[in-house]
Amino acid sequence: MQGNAPTPDGQVADAVSGNWVDTYAPAFARPYLRLSRADRPIGTWLLLIPCWWGLALAMLSDGTPRWEDLWIAIGCAIGAFLMRGAGCTWNDITDREFDGKVERTRSRPIPSGQVSVRQAVFWMVLQCLLALVILLTFNRAAIAMGVLSLLPVTIYPFAKRFTWWPQAFLGLAFNWGALLAWTAHTGTVGWPAITLYLSGIAWTLFYDTIYAHQDAEDDELIGIKSTARLFGTDTARWLKYFLVGTVSLMGFAIVDAALPEASVLALVVALGGPWAMGWHMTWQLRGLDTEDNTKLLQLFRANRDTGLIPLIFLCVALLL
């Protein structure tokens, strides 16, 4: 297949410049770490942040933070790294034929020949088993939630083949941590967690539509569906809808969780989170240029900060 040769050092095209994988990791480990997107950490952040939202909201709900919550936060961080890696490996296995035809993805380890499919499967299973070890330290309800998360993770890579809304399926998978972390603290799923989960899905639709515009032309040529292709020149208007949905649903989740245990001051501070998050998303909209791939990637990566903003407000509210 023409044009599929890897870059001289095997670096993936959209990797962060000077990342630790390409700079410091042993040569034998680099292809596997690239499969896990360890050279592109934004995905781990986007998977982890909803976990921390759910944990903080659960603590605000019952007003009883415990020392074990520190382990839940740390365990979610380790688990997010591992499961994001396993999910990306699964995605690259299923998309290996497509990736070889897209300019941005043809340098990935499988289509560029750095890793075989069999090696990728082994690496995926290893990451899942390590994540399972972390999951088994949580309560039974959270363990069940973790096992259920495999369903949207498994389906997501195929969504682009049968729906114009694969970003919604990504949202189902990437925000599951909000449910899991809430359950790890409380022992059961609550409506605030479900509403927060829906808020996260709206947020994913926002940032991943921006991301998908990088591949819109190639996707059209090979028949891959996406919200970027669906919305086209109307993308900005749809992103506004997702912004409003993200902020509104998160606000409802906070009110539902905070009443009646939290103080009025804590509630007001917590509600400042989605408000400030909305302004950060508005800033992204103002800089949106769907024809500028460099700008699109910059805006996508900015969503780490977007997600951390409400988390900061929630943590402050816990102190009040």
Side-chain angles (χ1 to χ4, degrees):
M1 187 177 294
Q2 294 181 349
N4 281 12
T7 53
D9 60 356
Q11 180 174 328
V12 177
D14 58 352
V16 177
S17 179
N19 68 83
W20 72 273
V21 172
D22 295 325
T23 305
Y24 301 111
F28 76 88
R30 289 176 186 173
Y32 298 98
L33 292 171
R34 289 167 184 149
L35 265 179
S36 299
R37 310 285 201 274
D39 53 347
R40 286 151 284 171
I42 180 60
T44 299
W45 281 109
L46 296 176
L47 186 61
L48 171 60
I49 286 170
C51 300
W52 284 350
W53 286 352
L55 177 60
L57 195 66
M59 289 190 286
L60 184 67
S61 175
D62 60 20
T64 57
R66 302 181 293 267
W67 278 111
E68 67 186 75
D69 293 322
L70 178 60
W71 168 244
I72 294 174
I74 295 172
C76 283
I78 300 171
F81 178 81
L82 291 168
M83 285 309 297
R84 189 259 180 146
C88 288
T89 304
W90 171 240
N91 186 79
D92 282 10
I93 291 169
T94 59
D95 281 359
R96 59 190 183 276
E97 298 299 330
F98 288 138
D99 285 346
K101 299 174 183 177
V102 176
E103 180 65 32
R104 186 179 59 83
T105 59
R106 61 181 50 170
S107 58
R108 288 179 176 175
I110 295 178
S112 65
Q114 299 178 56
V115 174
S116 69
V117 173
R118 178 176 294 183
Q119 289 170 322
V121 170
F122 173 82
W123 179 238
M124 177 184 67
V125 172
L126 177 61
Q127 291 173 100
C128 288
L129 290 175
L130 291 173
L132 178 62
V133 172
I134 301 295
L135 181 64
L136 291 176
T137 66
F138 296 163
N139 60 47
R140 290 184 179 180
I143 292 171
M145 291 300 300
V147 173
L148 283 174
S149 72
L150 294 177
L151 181 61
V153 170
T154 301
I155 294 173
Y156 164 66
F158 302 101
K160 63 177 73 71
R161 295 162 168 83
F162 63 81
T163 177
W164 288 100
W165 292 83
Q167 281 66 34
F169 283 83
L170 181 67
L172 291 171
F174 255 56
N175 294 281
W176 197 272
L179 301 174
L180 192 154
W182 170 285
T183 305
H185 174 86
T186 64
T188 184
V189 180
W191 281 109
I194 294 172
T195 308
L196 184 67
Y197 178 56
L198 295 175
S199 171
I201 293 172
W203 178 43
T204 302
L205 282 162
F206 179 91
Y207 66 66
D208 205 57
T209 297
I210 293 174
Y211 184 78
H213 266 285
Q214 296 176 93
D215 302 328
E217 292 184 6
D218 285 337
D219 286 350
E220 184 175 3
L221 289 174
I222 59 180
I224 289 179
K225 299 177 173 65
S226 72
T227 50
R229 287 189 59 207
L230 178 64
F231 303 152
T233 57
D234 209 21
T235 290
R237 179 170 67 89
W238 279 93
L239 293 182
K240 290 177 184 177
Y241 295 154
F242 300 144
L243 187 162
V244 172
T246 301
V247 172
S248 300
L249 288 165
M250 185 177 291
F252 288 137
I254 289 171
V255 171
D256 193 14
L259 296 178
E261 295 295 331
S263 68
V264 173
L265 180 58
L267 175 59
V268 171
V269 170
L271 286 172
W275 174 81
M277 182 182 186
W279 278 109
H280 196 272
M281 294 170 75
T282 300
W283 165 77
Q284 292 183 56
L285 275 175
R286 289 174 178 170
L288 181 68
D289 181 354
T290 58
E291 302 300 320
D292 184 345
N293 281 5
T294 300
K295 186 65 174 180
L296 290 169
L297 186 58
Q298 177 190 7
L299 291 176
F300 169 71
R301 288 175 175 167
N303 278 277
R304 180 201 64 175
D305 297 340
T306 309
L308 288 174
I309 288 171
L311 178 65
I312 292 170
F313 278 80
L314 284 170
C315 289
V316 172
L318 288 171
L319 302 174
L320 301 175

